Structures are given as structure tokens and as C-alpha cells.
């Protein structure tokens, strides 16, 4: 297999484009894809500071690397989730990446905030992934607002977005489909713009980019992700993709072109402010304060039971 | 060939030389869901793996 650009031996096969690249040309191709996504979708401009949500995995570290190479001003945001050795290793890799490149990084330890994911899940009997999603959304919004940035970038890739789209379509979650876009504009004074610059690139491509750029990312998966619904959707899409390359890309791109404008018209009224923390909320209190309230009350009940 | 699967850290052996696509087929792995690595080199589906080679097959699909 030869590189599409320079005809040298190829290392990366990009099936959805029926192309292959050598190492050097793949890096150029990948960075151009990200830059094109940023410009075409008007994600942010060169004079804005971009907060990058970084987990320590391949996607977010690859994203941070590309944004740095492209010359954007970035600050990393890492949530240490408190999920045992997995979280410790993820935090170590994120901090090492930032230190090696001299990049600013904000780290928040959820354990110190009294809401490590095992605690949130354990006290509320919710699936860990549900509690994790609520906590992440809350801290991303809060910390981006407090930092004063106007944009928050996440490492969601083509596979993440196609799997999410499949899940939303299978359940016809109209309100979710109305918000499934690589650029989410703020609908509350404490929201910032949320963007997904990797939405055109597959999970294989982000992993290959991390590998050829020698990014030391966390290879282990979150122990809570075993059996996650998203993996079922990804598997279904990958089986189709193996027979019909380009399906995932067309599924997402055609939704954004044809479906999204229709669903976006049905968007709910903007959120109110949470009576507890002031962050956006669709009820009297936001999902995170409601979760914390549940944890605090269970914790107090257990403490009382232990004393009696 | 000696194969190390990540993140499971499991090792297995397949005899003979094969194209990467054939190795993946034998292991029931879909193309595009793993990276196949030999030393510092990424291998495409059409690359040949020699009987005496050691390769790493690293899962790229994450979820949760």
C-alpha cells in the first residue's frame, strides 16, 4: 500500500476515504482535517483561549497536541474522577503531557470535592457512567465559565458522534438530536461555546495520530465502561463499516446537512439558573446539585445508622 | 508470530506468515477497531507479518 501524497510505503489506511498515508503525510492530513473542521464550522478564532477537556486518553491528548501545533492558545482541564488506578494513571499521563510541552493545565480532584465517581454512583444507585456524565458536564461548564474562556473543546471523534447519533435515532430522542452538532452555542450566561474539532476523524485515525506523534496516552479503558451502550452502537456501526466503508461518515455528515436543521428548530426553551449554584438548570436545581443532595442525604442517613 | 493484545495484556501465538487482514480475521477482529504495531511501525491490512515477528494489537475503541 502506497502513500496517497508521496507514494512512500503507507502506515495508515484511512478506509472511509479509500486512502493510505505514510507517517509524515498522515500527520499533515490529520492536522488539516482538524483545521478544516475548526474553520468550516466557525468553532473559534486564533485570538481566543481554548479550554481543552483532557482525560489522558488518545482523543483528548491528540486534540490538545494538534491545537498546540496549529498555534492556538490552549489551557487543559482534567477531572481526576477517583476511579482507582485507572484515574491515577490518566492524571499522571495528562500532567506529564502538559509538563513536557509547557502547557497550562487545571486539575480538579473529584475526591477532594467529595464527589468521586464511585461515591456518586454508590450512594445513588445510578450507573457510574450516568453519574460521571452529570459530574463532567457540571465541572466543564463551571470551570470554563470561571476561567473566563469563551470556548471549550472536547475530543469526541467521528465514531463517538456516529454512535451517539445511532442511539438518539433508535430512541427518537428529538431533544438530543436538536443538540447533536460539533458546535453548541451557549444558551445561558454561564455556558460557553462547546466544540468538537475531531468530529471528522475516526477513532482509528486519532489512535494512529497519537501513536505516530509518540503521545503517551492511557491505553486501559475505564473499568466502568464494560457493557456500555455506546460500545454496542459502535460495534454495530463497525460491522457495517467493514462491509461498506464510509458509512459512519456519511451517516453523521448527512444528518448534520439534512436532519440537524429540522431538529434544531424544535429546541426547548433556554435553561433557568440553579437555585443552589447558579449554573444552568432545566428544573429548580441543576442535575449535579440534585445528585449531590441525594448523596449528602444518603451519607447522613448511613452515618446516623452507624451511630445507633 | 507472537501477538500481544492490549489493553487485555494477553499473549497468543499464530503459526506461519500472514497478511495483517488474515491475522485480524483469525482473531475475529474488525478492521479499523485496532492498531497493529510491529516495533515502532504501524501496519496496514495488507502488510505481511513474518512467522518470527512479534506484534502488538491495540484496541482503539473506547466507550462509556
Amino acid at each position: 500500500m502506497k502513500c496517497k501524497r508521496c507514494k512512500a510505503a503507507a502506515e495508515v489506511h484511512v478506509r472511509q476515504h479509500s486512502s493510505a498515508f505514510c507517517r509524515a503525510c498522515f500527520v499533515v492530513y490529520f492536522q488539516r482535517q482538524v483545521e478544516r473542521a475548526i474553520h468550516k464550522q466557525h468553532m473559534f478564532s486564533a485570538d481566543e483561549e481554548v479550554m481543552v477537556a483532557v482525560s489522558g486518553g488518545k482523543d483528548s491528548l491528540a486534540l490538545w497536541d494538534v491545537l498546540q501545533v496549529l498555534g492556538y492558545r490552549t489551557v487543559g482541564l482534567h477531572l481526576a474522577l477517583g476511579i482507582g488506578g485507572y484515574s491515577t494513571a490518566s492524571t499522571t499521563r495528562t500532567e506529564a503531557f502538559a509538563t513536557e510541552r509547557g502547557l497550562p493545565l487545571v486539575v480538579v480532584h473529584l475526591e477532594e470535592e467529595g464527589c468521586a465517581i464511585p461515591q456518586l454512583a454508590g450512594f445513588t444507585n445510578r450507573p457510574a457512567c450516568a453519574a460521571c456524565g452529570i459530574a463532567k458536564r457540571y465541572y466543564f461548564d463551571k470551570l470554563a465559565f470561571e476561567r473566563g474562556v469563551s470556548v471549550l473543546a472536547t475530543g469526541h471523534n467521528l465514531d463517538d458522534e456516529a454512535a451517539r447519533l445511532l442511539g438518539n435515532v433508535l430512541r427518537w430522542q428529538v431533544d438530543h438530536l436538536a443538540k447533536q452538532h460539533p458546535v453548541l452555542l451557549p444558551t445561558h450566561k454561564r455556558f460557553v461555546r462547546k466544540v468538537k474539532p475531531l468530529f471528522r476523524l475516526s477513532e482509528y485515525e486519532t489512535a494512529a495520530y497519537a501513536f505516530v506523534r509518540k503521545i503517551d496516552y492511557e491505553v486501559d479503558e475505564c473499568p466502568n465502561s464494560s457493557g456500555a451502550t455506546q460500545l454496542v452502537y459502535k460495534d454495530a456501526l463497525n460491522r457495517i463499516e467493514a462491509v461498506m466503508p464510509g458509512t459512519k461518515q456519511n451517516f453523521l455528515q448527512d444528518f448534520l446537512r439534512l436532519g440537524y436543521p429540522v431538529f434544531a428548530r424544535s429546541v426547548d426553551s433556554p435553561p433557568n439558573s440553579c437555585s443552589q449554584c447558579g449554573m444552568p438548570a432545566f428544573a429548580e436545581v441543576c442535575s449535579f446539585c440534585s445528585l449531590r443532595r441525594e448523596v449528602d442525604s444518603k451519607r447522613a442517613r448511613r452515618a446516623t445508622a452507624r451511630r445507633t | 508470530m507472537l501477538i500481544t493484545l492490549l489493553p487485555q495484556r494477553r499473549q497468543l501465538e499464530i503459526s506461519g506468515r500472514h497478511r495483517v487482514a488474515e491475522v485480524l480475521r483469525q482473531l475475529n477482529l474488525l478492521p479499523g477497531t485496532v492498531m497493529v504495531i510491529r516495533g515502532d511501525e504501524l501496519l496496514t491490512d495488507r502488510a505481511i507479518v513474518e512467522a518470527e515477528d512479534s506484534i502488538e494489537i491495540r484496541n482503539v475503541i473506547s466507550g462509556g
Side-chain angles (χ1 to χ4, degrees), chain B residues 1-60:
Chain B
M1 69 188 73
L2 179 66
I3 300 170
T4 305
L5 294 169
L6 282 182
Q8 304 92 322
R9 295 182 176 81
R10 194 159 63 86
Q11 288 203 321
L12 53 100
E13 278 192 74
I14 292 180
S15 58
R17 75 196 286 266
H18 298 283
R19 281 196 192 279
V20 166
E22 174 54 26
V23 174
L24 298 184
R25 228 185 333 266
Q26 284 193 35
L27 298 175
N28 219 7
L29 293 168
L30 291 169
T33 64
V34 292
M35 284 192 291
V36 182
I37 302 163
R38 181 173 52 198
D40 184 39
E41 178 194 14
L42 266 181
L43 303 179
T44 65
D45 298 354
R46 288 182 214 166
I48 303 274
V49 187
E50 302 295 339
E52 63 277 15
D53 282 348
S54 292
I55 58 169
E56 176 187 314
I57 299 184
R58 191 187 296 183
N59 177 46
V60 301

Side-chain angles (χ1 to χ4, degrees), chain A residues 11 15 23 203 221 234, chain B residues 40 42 45 58 60 62-63:
Chain A
E11 272 194 69
R15 285 174 190 80
R23 183 170 288 221
E203 201 142 30
E221 270 296 296
K234 283 188 174 180
Chain B
D40 184 39
L42 266 181
D45 298 354
R58 191 187 296 183
V60 301
S62 53

